[in-house]
Amino acid sequence: MLTLAEEIVLLTLDDEGGKFLYVPEHSMRYALSGAVLMELAFRGKIDADPDSLFILDTTSTNDGMLDSILKQIAKEEERHDCSYWIQYFGREAYRIQQVALQRLCDAGILRAEDKSFLWVFKSRRYPIRNDLAEKEVKQRIMALLFSDDIPDPRDIAIIGLAESCRLFERMFSRSEYERVRGRIEEIGRLELIGQTISKVVREIEFQLGQATAIGPM
Amino acid sequence: MELRVSKHNAVTIAEVDGRIDGMTAKEFEEKMAEAIPEGGGPMVCDLSHVSYVSSAGLRAILVIAKRFSKDGNFFSVCGHSGPVAEVLRISGFEKIIPMHESRADAVEKAEG
């Protein structure tokens, strides 16, 4: 089974060329940070309520990335809320993304491909080698969004992450998106860590909007 | 966390006592799964005596509601108040699972 970070990375790749879709940098950062926190929560290592995020179990997850995040939370003496930790681990988003990409390559789902542009600039793409995992994630999401079924926790998480990255606006036509928007919001709210990611992203966007409105001094 | 199971006509009532959090969520899921009557029928989960629900607790309630509703059975939650009601409200649970203030309302609806 893929981790949430691997699933969201997979969803942010263009199906054909393997280029990253445009996702605002802050959205991707906090989605990746939130993905590892939710993964730890699903594995029974941490728990949260509206006031704080706290440790339940510090034993190894047998996953180096998750263990390093868990260790950092465990060593903090003061308790903080979900928002604090989502922003704190936002600084590790690049590492989380690179680990996820490497694992997807190792699993034969992606392949890394270096391309040169104008013989000078190099860019790395990740074309999909095996699209079963990506199709499976998308099918799960679609089935839930167009039904009244009660979602399961992992699906709630991935829907919240995808919405934070504004991926549904790309997956659906404008009218389809308007039709499922309410359902996306309902599902996203069900997970406390997930809904905090959306709040953090919205706050950043609000601040960016304010800064743009004020303009340079 | 304690679970008392009783019947009101065809309705199974699961009354939870204590906390539903990361330490008790698994036990809650297991006990609720055992309480699901063979052959189905409506079920009401009474949270009147629950003092705290965390994120893991919310997930456990959803997992049970999903498992129970899969076969077309009616599942609802009632009796939540104070901080528990607040967590359920923040998470928008009422949009996904029927919620009732009192057990009487929940049972009446379940008998429907």
Side-chain angles (χ1 to χ4, degrees), chain A residues 117-174:
Chain A
F117 173 66
L118 296 175
W119 300 281
V120 180
F121 305 108
K122 287 194 172 165
S123 70
R124 177 163 276 195
R125 294 179 180 198
Y126 292 91
I128 293 178
R129 272 170 70 181
N130 180 346
D131 66 358
L132 279 178
E134 190 215 9
K135 278 187 176 159
E136 191 267 330
V137 178
K138 284 188 175 170
Q139 277 168 3
R140 258 166 46 208
I141 292 175
M142 297 296 174
L144 257 175
L145 293 183
F146 289 96
S147 74
D148 290 328
D149 291 350
I150 297 175
D152 87 22
R154 290 195 83 84
D155 294 340
I156 293 169
I158 197 69
I159 286 171
L161 292 172
E163 178 64 352
S164 294
C165 294
R166 301 186 167 198
L167 295 178
F168 293 121
E169 292 172 37
R170 288 174 173 274
M171 274 185 209
F172 297 122
S173 67
R174 200 183 172 96

Side-chain angles (χ1 to χ4, degrees), chain A residues 147-151 182-190, chain B residues 62 88-99:
Chain A
S147 74
D148 290 328
D149 291 350
I150 297 175
R183 174 83 170 148
I184 292 170
E185 281 172 15
E186 273 172 27
I187 293 177
R189 273 180 75 188
L190 293 168
Chain B
L62 268 181
L88 294 172
R89 188 194 61 74
I90 290 170
S91 312
F93 255 54
E94 77 285 356
K95 306 263 186 188
I96 305 286
I97 300 173
M99 318 256 303

Side-chain angles (χ1 to χ4, degrees), chain A residues 41-42 47-50 54 56 150-153 156 183 186-187 189-193 195, chain B residues 21-23 52 54-56 58-59 62-63 65-66 69 87 89-93 95-96:
Chain A
F42 292 166
D47 197 3
D49 61 30
F54 43 92
L56 292 176
I150 297 175
D152 87 22
I156 293 169
R183 174 83 170 148
E186 273 172 27
I187 293 177
R189 273 180 75 188
L190 293 168
E191 167 59 53
L192 288 178
I193 299 174
Q195 63 166 261
Chain B
D21 58 15
M23 303 307 283
Y52 176 82
S54 71
S55 187
L58 292 176
R59 281 196 295 275
L62 268 181
V63 166
K66 184 177 174 67
S69 311
V87 170
R89 188 194 61 74
I90 290 170
S91 312
F93 255 54
K95 306 263 186 188
I96 305 286

